[in-house]
Amino acid sequence: PSCRRYVAGGRCKSTAKLDGKVVIITGANTGIGKETARDLARRGKVIIACRDIAKAEAAASEIRAETGNQQVIVKKLDLADTKSIREFAEKFLAEEKELHILINNAGVMLCPYSKTADGFEMHLGVNHLGHFLLTFLLLERLKQSAPARIVNVSSLAHHGGRIRFHDLHGEKSYNRGLAYCHSKLANVLFTRELARRLQGKFQRQAEFTANALHPGSVHSELVRHSFVMTWLWKIFSFFLKTPWEGAQTSVYCAVAEELDSVTGQYFSDCQPAYVSPRGRDDETAKKLWSVSCELLGIQWD
């Protein structure tokens, strides 16, 4: 029915092959991450970076069997622990000479108040800071492998977010729904500032791009921390995208030829989408960048 087609949204029509190319996808053992990995495994080498190795291995062997691609590799990565992120990057850089596509897909949503190993509020720590550090550590390899793409999975929820510099870790006040929104706004701002910094670093801008996206409201495990949301998700599943449908925009941002020189943009349903005014605030983006560097103890100019 046309209603279901509307819910399904855009599809990635690109048949681009990624022969000899290397892709990293974080959190690719379930949901849209797994479907993104499944699609890209039909095109090239995929590294699934996950906290839960057993789940990731199960997903990888399923994808290998289905696609016939043995180059689907699992690596341990816990985005809630900077030590794990550094170990992952170190191992990857030692083993792989190239990296063409980095998809920062993993995320937590609606967690009860908790902190990462480094004392960051969980949503901000995993969804933003973890990926910020991972991107920083892999950036040189991406540059050497250009043309390269960075794809950040954000959300429509960024419209409800704000960067509360006075209380980044939610110690003064905490609402788990809003904490998720704030972290998704951080994804949009990070993408914007990263794209700005990468511009002019290359002869041809087409060589290195960074874009963000909203996958759609997807029937996935992301709402597992909320009984009410899990219940609502079940009732309204007809109006939610399947993980395969939800993965389409991630795949599109990773491979579509027409995006070769498009950077710093935000997509939904495989087309450009509206970004909230807060998501277009360059001053906030710059400040978030420097505060993130401070928190992570890195220098990223």
Side-chain angles (χ1 to χ4, degrees):
S2 57
C3 169
R4 187 69 200 97
R5 265 206 306 280
Y6 174 75
V7 170
R11 289 191 175 184
C12 176
K13 297 186 177 76
S14 169
T15 55
K17 282 277 177 241
L18 299 173
D19 299 329
K21 297 202 166 180
V22 181
V23 182
I24 291 177
I25 308 175
T26 65
N29 55 2
T30 58
I32 62 170
K34 182 177 171 184
E35 292 306 321
T36 305
R38 194 192 307 271
D39 182 296
L40 296 182
R42 293 196 174 92
R43 306 170 191 253
K45 179 172 183 173
V46 175
I47 292 168
I48 292 179
C50 293
R51 188 184 55 200
D52 187 329
I53 291 289
K55 255 190 183 176
E57 281 297 356
S61 64
E62 181 191 313
I63 292 169
R64 285 193 287 261
E66 196 183 305
T67 60
N69 180 2
Q70 295 312 301
Q71 296 277 62
V72 180
I73 297 159
V74 171
K75 300 273 181 218
K76 175 140 176 89
L77 169 68
D78 182 354
L79 287 158
D81 184 350
T82 57
K83 191 162 160 279
S84 169
I85 299 168
R86 288 180 180 280
E87 277 166 13
F88 168 85
E90 207 172 299
K91 277 194 184 126
F92 173 84
L93 295 172
E95 289 163 16
E96 300 286 343
K97 291 297 154 252
E98 295 193 299
L99 173 59
H100 304 89
I101 301 169
L102 171 62
I103 303 181
N104 290 318
N105 163 84
V108 294
M109 181 182 185
L110 304 173
C111 308
Y113 189 76
S114 54
K115 287 188 166 178
T116 67
D118 302 87
F120 309 139
E121 185 276 314
M122 192 59 75
H123 292 90
L124 186 81
V126 171
N127 300 355
H128 168 61
L129 291 169
H131 283 128
F132 186 93
L133 178 61
L134 181 66
T135 307
F136 166 74
L137 295 170
L138 299 176
L139 197 74
E140 281 310 309
R141 188 58 41 97
L142 281 157
K143 281 181 183 170
Q144 291 157 9
S145 313
R149 297 185 185 189
I150 295 168
V151 178
N152 294 324
V153 178
S154 178
S155 166
L156 185 67
H158 84 269
H159 287 275
R162 51 176 60 207
I163 306 299
R164 302 167 66 248
F165 289 109
H166 65 287
D167 188 22
L168 270 183
H169 303 296
E171 286 156 335
K172 299 192 180 92
S173 72
Y174 180 75
N175 171 303
R176 56 193 189 167
L178 287 176
Y180 177 71
C181 296
H182 302 332
S183 72
K184 294 288 109 180
L185 173 60
N187 292 154
V188 172
L189 291 168
F190 168 46
T191 306
R192 190 178 178 88
E193 180 63 8
L194 178 60
R196 188 187 70 78
R197 285 162 175 263
L198 292 175
Q199 263 169 339
K201 291 265 161 60
F202 296 93
Q203 286 73 35
R204 301 194 311 283
Q205 185 46 45
E207 293 192 359
F208 202 168
T209 62
N211 290 299
L213 67 104
H214 165 55
S217 299
V218 180
H219 203 280
S220 75
E221 288 181 18
L222 200 55
V223 294
R224 63 183 173 268
H225 291 294
S226 165
F227 170 74
V228 177
M229 286 290 278
T230 304
W231 182 71
L232 285 171
W233 245 226
K234 277 198 174 72
I235 295 175
F236 293 109
S237 61
F238 179 80
F239 298 103
L240 296 171
K241 291 187 180 191
T242 63
W244 182 84
E245 290 160 354
Q248 292 302 300
T249 308
S250 295
V251 174
Y252 175 74
C253 288
V255 303
E257 298 87 342
E258 63 266 34
L259 298 188
D260 273 350
S261 54
V262 175
T263 191
Q265 300 302 307
Y266 171 75
F267 294 85
S268 177
D269 283 329
C270 300
Q271 56 189 12
Y274 179 74
V275 176
S276 76
R278 288 200 186 103
R280 285 174 281 153
D281 185 331
D282 290 331
E283 286 316 302
T284 306
K286 287 183 182 122
K287 185 172 177 187
L288 178 64
W289 185 282
S290 64
V291 168
S292 300
C293 286
E294 250 167 72
L295 288 169
L296 292 163
I298 58 175
Q299 287 217 294
W300 187 355
D301 300 322

